[in-house]
Amino acid sequence: FINASKPENVEYIDTKTGEVRQMVNLIGHTEFVDSTDFVKLYDTDSLMCLSLCGIRVLFYVMNELHYGETFHFDSDKCIEYTGGSRHYVYRGRKELIDCDIIRKAKGSFYYVNPNVIYKGNRDNYGKVR
């Protein structure tokens, strides 16, 4: 029997002698959380429909993604990032839309599908014990 109502002063009963004994700091837990940013890409069927063009534009999207669900799609920046032409970037963006990875928001802003892409850091991501 352990009485852990006071974590700094834990009492237990020795089953052989029946005596009540005290222990200090019976259990300690130290947690280290890496605070670096990451983009999590889930393994979904929608990724299988992408060509090399779509994958390169997807990497641009992942690079531009911030902590919200929306991002600004700058065609000129995407052309520079991918090394492709304007037609190449439009084709890749269309693939991402057709595969339900991104959706048009307003103007040049788009939503990302959170079932496919998640941007965060380990401070606010689910902690596993």
Side-chain angles (χ1 to χ4, degrees):
F1 173 75
I2 296 176
N3 180 2
S5 60
K6 296 181 182 178
E8 69 278 353
N9 190 12
V10 177
E11 296 176 338
Y12 73 97
I13 297 175
D14 188 339
T15 56
K16 292 181 183 174
T17 65
E19 294 178 285
V20 176
R21 297 189 178 222
Q22 291 188 349
M23 293 178 64
V24 178
N25 291 331
L26 177 65
I27 298 173
H29 178 76
T30 303
E31 183 175 345
F32 173 73
V33 178
D34 185 6
S35 62
T36 54
D37 291 342
F38 68 91
V39 175
K40 185 166 186 171
L41 184 64
Y42 295 97
D43 183 17
T44 63
D45 292 337
S46 59
L47 295 174
M48 299 306 290
C49 70
L50 296 178
S51 67
L52 181 59
C53 171
I55 291 170
R56 286 185 177 169
V57 175
L58 175 63
F59 282 131
Y60 164 76
V61 168
M62 291 168 57
N63 189 56
E64 291 297 308
L65 193 58
H66 298 290
Y67 294 106
E69 293 178 349
T70 62
F71 69 97
H72 178 256
F73 193 95
D74 185 341
S75 298
D76 294 329
K77 271 177 92 173
C78 188
I79 289 168
E80 184 180 325
Y81 185 88
T82 60
S85 65
R86 190 165 299 279
H87 175 72
Y88 185 85
V89 167
Y90 289 153
R91 193 176 81 210
R93 183 176 60 189
K94 183 172 180 344
E95 283 183 23
L96 296 181
I97 292 169
D98 291 345
C99 294
D100 198 32
I101 296 171
I102 64 173
R103 288 187 182 164
K104 184 85 167 143
K106 213 175 208 185
S108 58
F109 285 89
Y110 287 80
Y111 294 107
V112 293
N113 184 344
N115 294 324
V116 180
I117 301 173
Y118 172 80
K119 168 83 178 211
N121 67 35
R122 288 178 179 86
D123 285 336
N124 62 9
Y125 194 63
K127 295 177 183 174
V128 178
R129 291 187 188 246

